[in-house]
Amino acid sequence: QMVKEGTKKSAASAKATQAAKVVKKGNVVKSKRKIRTNPRFFRPKTLCLPRNPKYERRGRNAESVHRRRMDAYQIIKYPLATESAMKKIEEHNTLVFLVDVRANKFQIKQAVRTLYDIQTATINTLIRPDGNKKAYVRLTPDIEALDVANKIGII
């Protein structure tokens, strides 16, 4: 029995001295730097969280600001009543309007039809140097531009 106790004590003291060494030395072992064999660096993959928006950036429904269609009143701003526009009305059966820059010829034609109940022959557009879009709306021969201009209130 005495022999067993002595071995227990020696084992315990050996364990204690080992623990003391570790405490004294510190168990943090300095890691060796990896030897790079390739000149290309691959960026490490980091955490990618899913998007968590605070408000909707683009509208998903038809009534949102980004999806709202232009109506006739938004497309046609106002008719022009300059001297050159009057000459167009009298000689070329053409009305001149300032329209929204984003409107195309089909939309302008539709807007003129809904607002003034007139059929158009052709529409020519140009963007003026000040950034506004001008539309020359040529009417069909059976409709007089002078009468329409009077009805609108240009003349």
Side-chain angles (χ1 to χ4, degrees):
Q1 269 220 356
M2 286 297 266
V3 178
K4 282 186 177 177
E5 282 183 28
T7 56
K8 277 186 180 176
K9 281 186 180 177
S10 65
S13 66
K15 201 172 184 182
T17 54
Q18 183 68 28
K21 265 189 200 173
V22 169
V23 167
K24 188 177 179 186
K25 185 181 173 188
N27 63 351
V28 178
V29 181
K30 190 173 183 184
S31 61
K32 288 182 74 176
R33 181 174 283 174
K34 180 180 178 287
I35 296 169
R36 297 186 54 77
T37 57
N38 190 347
R40 183 176 287 135
F41 177 75
F42 292 98
R43 185 177 52 81
K45 302 269 191 292
T46 56
L47 177 67
C48 287
L49 293 171
R51 288 185 176 184
N52 183 18
K54 302 294 176 261
Y55 65 93
E56 208 171 17
R57 296 303 195 278
R58 287 190 60 215
R60 299 275 176 251
N61 57 354
E63 281 76 47
S64 69
V65 178
H66 301 286
R67 291 276 179 94
R68 202 170 292 143
R69 294 233 186 265
M70 291 189 290
D71 62 338
Y73 297 99
Q74 204 172 355
I75 291 170
I76 294 180
K77 293 181 184 176
Y78 53 87
L80 279 183
T82 58
E83 282 182 39
S84 59
M86 290 300 155
K87 191 174 180 183
K88 285 269 185 201
I89 290 170
E90 290 163 9
E91 294 177 11
H92 301 290
N93 201 31
T94 302
L95 295 171
V96 185
F97 295 99
L98 268 188
V99 296
D100 196 293
V101 180
R102 296 165 297 177
N104 58 32
K105 292 181 182 182
F106 303 110
Q107 291 171 328
I108 295 166
K109 190 172 194 171
Q110 196 72 30
V112 168
R113 188 182 299 141
T114 54
L115 289 179
Y116 306 117
D117 298 321
I118 49 177
Q119 292 293 323
T120 59
T122 55
I123 294 178
N124 292 333
T125 58
L126 62 90
I127 295 180
R128 304 193 316 183
D130 64 355
N132 293 319
K133 186 181 265 191
K134 192 196 288 187
Y136 294 101
V137 179
R138 184 152 192 195
L139 306 180
T140 51
D142 59 319
I143 303 168
E144 278 294 319
L146 208 56
D147 300 337
V148 177
N150 278 328
K151 191 174 87 174
I152 293 170
I154 301 173
I155 300 170

